[in-house]
Amino acid sequence: MLVLAVGAVAGLRQLHRLTAVRAQPLLAGPFLSGGTPDEHALSRFHARWYALTLLFLAFDVEMLFMYPWAVVVAKMGAAAVAEMFVFLGLLMCGVLYAWREGTLRWA
């Protein structure tokens, strides 16, 4: 079974080498609307973008929890509404922290 698995992997790898558009894809530049890129694809971003990204992910997670909540809120009643306000309050604390740290300033 091991010989069969190794043979299958080696065969697929050889097939890829034979049918690839370019034998060495790392020598080709990345696609950037037809132009050459100004910087390397693995260049570093400024640290302020990480906090903004975390804020964006927090709102994505908020939507992830709000869709199922919207389905059951009528059945659960006021307790579900109170729990959602607590959840939104915690998220608002994160927004206020990001605002205080200057994450939302673009200059």
Side-chain angles (χ1 to χ4, degrees), residues 3-61:
V3 172
L4 182 64
V6 170
V9 169
L12 287 172
R13 193 162 169 91
Q14 188 64 26
L15 179 67
H16 170 69
R17 285 181 184 233
L18 292 174
T19 60
V21 175
R22 229 181 141 113
Q24 296 175 342
L26 293 178
L27 297 178
F31 181 75
L32 185 66
S33 300
T36 57
D38 295 333
E39 56 189 27
H40 193 271
L42 298 177
S43 63
R44 294 177 183 231
F45 293 101
H46 196 277
R48 71 171 171 244
W49 296 112
Y50 294 113
L52 188 64
T53 303
L54 288 175
L55 191 64
F56 172 73
L57 288 175
F59 281 105
D60 273 357
V61 171

